[in-house]
Amino acid sequence: CLGTSGPKGSKYWWGRTETSNTHFNAGVSGHKSTSTPPDTSTIHYENFWLYRHCSSVQQSDRQAQKAGQLFSGLLAMNVVFLGSAFISSMIFNHVAITLADVWILLSILKVLCLCWIIYYLLGTSRQPHAVLHRDSHAGPIWIRGSVLLFGSFSILLNVFQIGYSAILIQCKSRVEIVFPSIEILFICTQAFFLWHHSKDCIQVQHNFTRCGLMLTIATNLLLWLLAVTNDTIHMEIESQLREVEQRFAGNETASCTCPNTTMCKIFQKGYILLYPFNTEYCLVCCSVLYVMWKNVGRRISHHHVPHIKPKFKLQGVVFGPLLGAAAVIIGICIFMMYQIQATGSAPNRQVFVMYYSYYIVLLPLMSVGAVIGTIIHALEKRELDTLKNPTRSLDVILLMGAALGQIGMCYFSIVALVATDPRDLLNSLILSYSVLLIFQNITQNVFIIDGLHRQPFVAANHEAHSQRRVSMLELGQEIRKASLSYIHSYSHLSWKRKALREISFFLVLCNIILWIMPTFGAHPAFENGLEKSFYGYSTWFVIVNFGLPLGVFYRMHSVGGLLEVYITA
């Protein structure tokens, strides 16, 4: 509007015109100017119609934005409550509400989301002036790659579920084949949509786009909630084991169990192995969709766009990669030995001792590194980045929220172990592991969040480099002849920057191995049997399925945050 931008049509232009007129009148009538009070030349711009009109337009635009966000949020809240009521009724009353009823509701929601996504791809995004701005912080390559990775595994999971249900079609409902088929189509369409449009700041059809995004977020949340609470396949495996025992005892039973064929066993084992990936996919999609929802109608000014974007370079780090690589190699060896032993009929107790001992050694090192990094952040003189950044705000919320999964599981384990026998070797190891994991999550969150709110070193040094541009050109020949070797780059970093980069890179590699181990099948919290016998199978299953995917998501999200800290250092 005229009151905010441009030399003409701005408050500055009005003030300049009125001031010049005041001086002109003062020159014509000299004695009157001396008797005029100083404050009569002050122009009250709020009295102008144009100023009041522009302010009212801006205020109404903000009110419309808040109203659209409120309405779409209420829509998502009602959908989540409705789906949660269905899922809760299925858990507590299997007769009135069955799993098929929940699948039908979720299938309807997924079809509605598919219709909106297709409309956005073919209609909304192709309108003139639809996407004038793109958020450079939203949808980084690692989060979009995670969408594709987890989406691919989720598709394979649904393929295994279709194959498993097709083999047992005589005792399975047709909904158990239709639901995974719709899920595959939903995953493919949503992954394509997020890969290409996660950075959009849409400027048309605000309310409809907000409602579509919130409906998709609510659908993903309900899919995640169903995956956390649905233990059908695991209960079928337990019933199959009981049936085998009854057959040996001479009691024949007729139940819906997997026949003794290789294909059925592959579908069953593949489904169990890929089960956590579906929950991860839902959580990642919710985070990306929320950023898109915040960016609807957002106008990014030029000073919000960074002129120099720091790039990832491996120069200047030595000890962090070495220690991190050692942690990754040792972790992979322990993971392989654990998988070989745990897949047997009776896992060896020594395997659990070895697994938890690795964590007890690694977690204190990570905690000490995070504490040292936080102290360095307090000592350095980098300014805080106070610009509005929805992506960074979401990163902080996700780090704090995802850490609650592991912290909650640890407290449940602590209560169970203290109440049983904490002096046992394995119990004491699990108890120490739980306490150290809580401390490590807290210290790492503080380090990452503090680092994300710091200005990068590149931005601070850009002005000094531009002032010395002439001298640098004069020394161009010597610079081209100078060595750009690894040791040269390492020696020219300050000790604070060295320490931050070493710590960040070490924590990145540690979080990668701590992400790999539970993601690809190492679940000692459910397989050691201690907490399961204390809380019961169903209760501990829900606790693990709630905390374990959040823990995996936390490790993956921590890698992205630590890479940001490494780059800005």
Side-chain angles (χ1 to χ4, degrees), residues 354-375:
M354 177 182 62
Y355 183 90
Y356 285 111
S357 299
Y358 171 75
Y359 270 83
I360 290 174
V361 173
L362 184 61
L363 290 176
L365 296 177
M366 298 175 65
S367 301
V368 170
V371 170
I372 295 175
T374 305
I375 295 174

Side-chain angles (χ1 to χ4, degrees), residues 90-101:
M90 178 200 68
I91 295 173
F92 298 110
N93 192 345
H94 295 280
V95 179
I97 301 295
T98 62
L99 181 60
D101 298 328

Side-chain angles (χ1 to χ4, degrees), residues 3 11 14 45-56:
K11 289 189 281 189
W14 292 337
Y45 301 110
E46 61 272 10
N47 296 327
F48 285 90
W49 174 87
L50 188 59
Y51 180 81
R52 287 187 285 106
H53 176 71
C54 293
S55 300
S56 63

Side-chain angles (χ1 to χ4, degrees), residues 527-555:
E527 294 164 350
N528 58 34
L530 299 176
E531 296 93 342
K532 184 168 61 175
S533 61
F534 183 83
Y535 291 105
Y537 179 85
S538 299
T539 304
W540 186 242
F541 176 85
V542 174
I543 294 173
V544 170
N545 271 352
F546 179 81
L548 183 62
L550 285 177
V552 174
F553 180 78
Y554 171 76
R555 294 301 172 187

Side-chain angles (χ1 to χ4, degrees), residues 210-221:
R210 288 192 183 101
C211 291
L213 288 169
M214 271 298 169
L215 180 63
T216 312
I217 291 174
T219 304
N220 282 279
L221 284 176

Side-chain angles (χ1 to χ4, degrees), residues 119-160:
Y119 176 78
Y120 183 92
L121 295 174
L122 301 180
T124 305
S125 62
R126 296 188 179 185
Q127 290 188 10
H129 312 292
V131 185
L132 298 177
H133 310 282
R134 292 177 67 85
D135 188 358
S136 60
H137 299 282
I141 187 63
W142 67 269
I143 196 90
R144 288 183 293 152
S146 302
V147 170
L148 293 183
L149 176 65
F150 294 139
S152 302
F153 284 119
S154 298
I155 292 173
L156 190 59
L157 169 70
N158 286 278
V159 170
F160 285 160

Side-chain angles (χ1 to χ4, degrees), residues 188-234:
C188 294
T189 308
Q190 184 175 242
F192 178 84
F193 166 68
L194 294 180
W195 179 265
H196 290 281
H197 297 277
S198 60
K199 297 179 179 291
D200 289 358
C201 298
I202 198 72
Q203 303 297 324
V204 295
Q205 299 180 357
H206 293 175
N207 293 332
F208 188 67
T209 304
R210 288 192 183 101
C211 291
L213 288 169
M214 271 298 169
L215 180 63
T216 312
I217 291 174
T219 304
N220 282 279
L221 284 176
L222 290 176
L223 290 172
W224 171 76
L225 182 61
L226 178 64
V228 168
T229 57
N230 182 24
D231 58 346
T232 305
I233 188 70
H234 300 84

